[in-house]
């Protein structure tokens, strides 16, 4: 599950991802992951919960706080109190079905490079850190996806109501 970003934010980060992510491993557009793996057998309950949560949520401001190295890649760190609240609400409802990875603390980011040699990632981190980047953007809702062994299939978009 991901948070959908506004068009400008998406275009900026997806452009960088298309330039710097190894093409043979780049099955996805730029995205802000909220949860990595949800149980498919609970899809109807999950979808109903997301409908309710999105209706109660407001469009969330995203503050882009700087580039960070991932060892073998680079991502933009993000702060968003509103998005963190939405994620915490979801996590509390689904606590019994979350994987260990999804029970970890939430460190929102958008990855523009991964699966490269550390020296390549370090070089990109230095390059991106020396240039301006957008200060903020918006999350406009939630996106639910199905993993297809590489690519992902979009299942549904849940637009924030306010």
């Amino acid at each position: 599950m991901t948070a959908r970003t506004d068009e400008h934010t998406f275009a900026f980060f997806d452009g960088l991802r298309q330039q710097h992510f190894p093409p043979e491993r780049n099955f996805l557009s730029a995205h802000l992951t909220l949860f990595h793996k949800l149980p498919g057998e609970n899809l109807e309950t999950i979808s109903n919960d997301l409908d309710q949560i999105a209706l109660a949520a407001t469009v969330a401001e995203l503050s882009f706080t700087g580039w960070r190295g991932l060892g073998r890649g680079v991502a933009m760190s993000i702060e968003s109190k509103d998005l963190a609240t939405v994620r915490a609400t979801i996590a509390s409802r689904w606590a019994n079905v979350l994987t260990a990875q999804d029970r970890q603390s939430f460190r929102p980011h958008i990855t523009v490079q991964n699966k490269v040699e550390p020296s390549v990632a370090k070089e990109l981190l230095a390059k991106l850190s020396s240039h301006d980047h957008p200060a903020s953007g918006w999350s406009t809702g939630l996106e639910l996806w199905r993993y297809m062994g590489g690519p992902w299939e979009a299942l549904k978009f849940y637009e924030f109501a306010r």
Side-chain angles (χ1 to χ4, degrees):
M1 188 175 85
T2 61
R4 180 176 287 183
T5 59
D6 64 273
E7 290 179 23
H8 183 269
T9 296
F10 174 79
F12 177 79
F13 289 108
D14 196 53
L16 288 173
R17 186 178 175 98
Q18 298 308 316
Q19 287 176 12
H20 301 292
F21 209 100
E24 69 280 2
R25 301 187 70 106
N26 193 15
F27 299 111
L28 307 171
S29 299
H31 57 280
L32 196 171
T33 301
L34 297 177
F35 296 96
H36 295 87
K37 185 177 180 183
L38 300 171
E41 64 273 11
N42 295 5
L43 184 59
E44 186 176 337
T45 300
I46 288 169
S47 188
N48 290 338
D49 282 352
L50 293 177
D51 278 329
Q52 292 173 10
I53 290 165
L55 282 174
T58 61
V59 171
E61 184 171 10
L62 308 173
S63 295
F64 305 128
T65 58
W67 297 106
R68 78 173 195 229
L70 303 173
R72 299 178 70 81
V74 178
M76 173 57 71
S77 293
I78 298 169
E79 290 181 4
S80 175
K81 182 179 176 183
D82 292 335
L83 191 59
T85 299
V86 168
R87 188 190 183 281
T89 299
I90 296 167
S92 69
R93 285 193 189 190
W94 302 345
N96 61 330
V97 298
L98 294 181
T99 64
Q101 182 180 25
D102 285 330
R103 287 191 303 267
Q104 294 177 0
S105 63
F106 182 47
R107 296 182 60 203
H109 63 279
I110 298 175
T111 302
V112 297
Q113 180 189 64
N114 208 358
K115 318 261 191 257
V116 299
E117 290 300 316
S119 61
V120 173
K122 192 178 268 188
E123 183 178 318
L124 181 61
L125 178 61
K127 178 182 173 185
L128 292 175
S129 296
S130 69
H131 291 76
D132 289 338
H133 60 77
S136 64
W138 300 94
S139 173
T140 59
L142 307 170
E143 297 172 308
L144 192 59
W145 301 85
R146 176 178 294 141
Y147 180 62
M148 306 295 287
W152 293 76
E153 174 189 11
L155 295 179
K156 188 170 178 185
F157 172 57
Y158 306 84
E159 187 171 8
F160 293 148
R162 305 179 273 148

